[in-house]
Amino acid sequence: MSLNREAATTLIYDQDDRFALETDTHLRGIRKKYIYGVRRTPRNDTLLITHGDPFREDDSQKYPILQVELRFNNAREKETAFKKLNEALFGRSDGLASRRPLKVIVNPVSGERRGNEVWAKVAQLLADAQIQTEVYFTEAAGDAETEAKRLIGKEEEYSGVMVVGGDGTVYEVLNGLTSRGDMFNDLPVMMIPAGTGNGMVASLGIRHYNRAALGVIQAIRNERSASLPEWPLLNYTLLQAPNGDEEDEPKALEHGVSFMGLHTAIATDVDIGSELIRGVPGRETLWAIKELVRPKHHPVKFSGKRKGGDDQYFESEGDFTYLMVMNIPWASADHHIAPDLDPRTEGMHVIHINRRDAPLRERFHAFTHMSDGSYINRPAVRRNKDVHKISVTDEAQRVGQNLFTIDGELKVGGQIDLEISRHKLKILYL
């Protein structure tokens, strides 16, 4: 973590949301919302204020951590300043954060095996903010869900759950926390982006793990749980596909919750297939070209209901190039699938392109313009908004021809039902 320091002689005043610091040559301000914490140093006359650069908040590549060094005449002045700073910043003169530890679940192999690297940097920021942590490292698929199950009924013991990983790790944690059905764990959850997709944090307007960590620190230290943002969750059921006998009901194979939604057709083929060439620059684009030019078909049927009454029913079937059921606007940091979807509203967006409506050039255009969401206005793109429930059925004759993913997790074939849950995901972020 690169740290830049500048010396300051003293804290002058606290006005509105900004600290003013007088150095030997000038007066500068730091906005409170960008301050991580105040660190005592071994030197008797020095404190460090750790903060982020507000001008880099939307930068996908950088969110530098800065330090301002405050020097005092003696240890007593230093301690007085420490108490006043923490009182002004967090309403607590002792500098302590929440009395409850933060549960941290780290997936070391997320993304390009960046989990441990990202966690090491975030851990220092949490230490600066004097936030206690209880850390668990996953070793295999399913570990995050198993660990999250152990947190059920322990809402009063932890300030929240911080997931260092990707959307798949968040998916596991949420399914662990909700595994008792109607008994929903109310622990707030936040993701520190270390995966390849990171759609959850992208939907919060976050591009860098430092900025995500600052949001967690703000939420814990301000102890304003009532003001934390909330998103509706989806309940999903994976069913065995009907075998053609109308009297046979599909058999339920799996139940769970989703925060993102469902993908199928090329969107899923690229997501899953490009993992085979992990580490190759532009791997998703290369795999998308492969999928778009070859004659692979995706016969799917779906039907659903929008909010507003029985007359809001819709259905469609065909050979789809794209079919995406979105509960949040971003599927990943590079794919703005539902640009006008507010994740706080209780309504999914169903977005689809039928192959017959889209020649090859149009299909390429859709993929290359998903990064900014402009593809949504193309004539071939169809949308259903404010959807309360939907059922998507694999119509392929060959098992595995259609791949489904829920929050990036593979679900092969069959039928998937999704509906808005009465439970909401509380986000550990301010």
Side-chain angles (χ1 to χ4, degrees):
M1 179 167 56
S2 177
L3 297 176
N4 299 319
R5 295 185 181 181
E6 59 179 272
T9 56
T10 186
L11 172 73
I12 302 299
Y13 58 82
D14 169 24
Q15 186 176 27
D16 298 325
D17 68 341
R18 189 179 297 271
F19 282 103
L21 303 169
E22 184 182 37
T23 70
D24 295 336
T25 58
H26 68 286
L27 190 72
R28 75 182 298 271
I30 304 174
R31 296 182 66 185
K32 291 182 187 178
K33 66 180 291 187
Y34 293 102
I35 294 177
Y36 289 90
V38 183
R39 185 192 303 179
R40 288 185 174 100
T41 67
R43 290 178 54 180
N44 289 333
D45 62 346
T46 305
L47 292 175
L48 292 178
I49 294 180
T50 306
H51 66 101
D53 184 344
F55 301 107
R56 297 286 190 172
E57 181 178 359
D58 297 323
D59 193 314
S60 62
Q61 301 300 320
K62 296 180 180 179
Y63 189 85
I65 303 303
L66 308 174
Q67 289 184 334
V68 172
E69 186 178 84
L70 301 177
R71 290 198 292 267
F72 304 91
N73 293 325
N74 51 57
R76 187 175 65 179
E77 285 188 6
K78 167 186 171 180
E79 193 62 26
T80 300
F82 178 82
K83 291 180 180 180
K84 288 183 177 180
L85 278 167
N86 280 286
E87 181 70 35
L89 281 168
F90 311 115
R92 299 178 65 116
S93 62
D94 59 9
L96 296 176
S98 172
R99 303 290 182 184
R100 299 173 295 167
L102 171 68
K103 182 69 179 186
V104 182
I105 297 178
V106 181
N107 183 350
V109 299
S110 279
E112 304 295 336
R113 296 184 175 271
R114 296 177 63 235
N116 279 333
E117 175 189 351
V118 170
W119 165 239
K121 296 175 180 179
V122 171
Q124 181 59 63
L125 298 178
L126 296 176
D128 285 352
Q130 300 190 55
I131 291 175
Q132 302 176 66
T133 59
E134 182 182 297
V135 188
Y136 174 83
F137 294 89
T138 66
E139 296 181 356
D143 282 358
E145 182 171 351
T146 300
E147 183 65 15
K149 289 178 180 179
R150 299 190 181 104
L151 304 178
I152 293 175
K154 297 182 179 180
E155 295 91 336
E156 300 302 319
E157 297 182 26
Y158 298 94
S159 56
V161 183
M162 190 171 79
V163 179
V164 182
D167 292 318
T169 312
V170 177
Y171 166 86
E172 284 195 26
V173 169
L174 292 180
N175 278 277
L177 292 176
T178 59
S179 58
R180 290 192 184 178
D182 290 339
M183 293 183 63
F184 178 66
N185 192 302
D186 198 35
L187 277 170
V189 176
M190 181 59 188
M191 171 183 168
I192 302 297
T196 54
N198 306 321
M200 178 182 183
V201 290
S203 296
L204 285 165
I206 299 170
R207 291 293 183 272
H208 198 280
Y209 51 81
N210 286 340
R211 185 68 186 94
L214 178 54
V216 172
I217 291 168
Q218 290 172 325
I220 292 175
R221 300 209 61 159
N222 285 281
E223 296 184 341
R224 290 158 48 190
S225 60
S227 62
L228 295 178
E230 293 183 333
W231 294 348
L233 288 170
L234 305 178
N235 288 330
Y236 77 84
T237 304
L238 175 65
L239 302 105
Q240 193 175 45
N243 60 9
D245 189 339
E246 295 182 358
E247 295 183 359
D248 286 350
E249 290 292 331
K251 179 183 178 182
L253 302 177
E254 179 183 322
H255 298 282
V257 298
S258 162
F259 69 91
M260 180 187 297
L262 174 147
H263 285 179
T264 191
I266 285 180
T268 297
D269 290 345
V270 171
D271 184 25
I272 300 299
S274 64
E275 291 293 313
L276 299 174
I277 53 174
R278 181 184 288 268
V280 176
R283 62 186 175 92
E284 289 191 346
T285 299
L286 292 174
W287 204 270
I289 293 172
K290 171 180 177 294
E291 294 292 341
L292 286 165
V293 299
R294 72 176 185 171
K296 182 178 179 181
H297 298 281
H298 300 280
V300 177
K301 177 174 67 177
F302 65 86
S303 59
K305 182 179 178 182
R306 292 182 290 270
K307 294 187 294 184
D310 294 336
D311 59 338
Q312 298 299 307
Y313 178 82
F314 64 91
E315 63 180 356
S316 182
E317 61 181 310
D319 181 7
F320 290 99
T321 299
Y322 297 100
L323 174 57
M324 298 160 288
V325 181
M326 296 299 299
N327 189 49
I328 58 176
W330 292 81
S332 72
D334 299 321
H335 292 87
H336 203 182
I337 303 301
D340 56 350
L341 170 61
D342 184 342
R344 296 168 298 180
T345 61
E346 297 184 357
M348 298 174 276
H349 284 199
V350 181
I351 303 157
H352 51 99
I353 300 177
N354 198 312
R355 183 182 294 272
R356 70 168 183 267
D357 299 329
L360 181 60
R361 186 175 66 177
E362 189 73 10
R363 300 198 292 271
F364 265 114
H365 184 280
F367 178 80
T368 56
H369 288 76
M370 284 181 179
S371 59
D372 61 6
S374 62
Y375 85 102
I376 205 75
N377 298 313
R378 301 294 293 186
V381 178
R382 301 286 186 268
R383 280 193 293 175
N384 296 94
K385 298 183 179 181
D386 299 322
V387 175
H388 178 70
K389 60 172 57 178
I390 184 170
S391 179
V392 182
T393 304
D394 181 7
E395 295 283 279
Q397 297 299 313
R398 180 168 57 86
V399 175
Q401 179 175 336
N402 284 330
L403 300 178
F404 294 97
T405 56
I406 298 286
D407 296 359
E409 296 298 298
L410 180 62
K411 312 291 181 184
V412 179
Q415 174 183 322
I416 299 181
D417 295 342
L418 298 101
E419 64 178 329
I420 298 293
S421 169
R422 63 184 180 85
H423 299 306
K424 292 189 177 183
L425 169 63
K426 186 173 289 187
I427 311 293
L428 186 67
Y429 179 80
L430 285 179

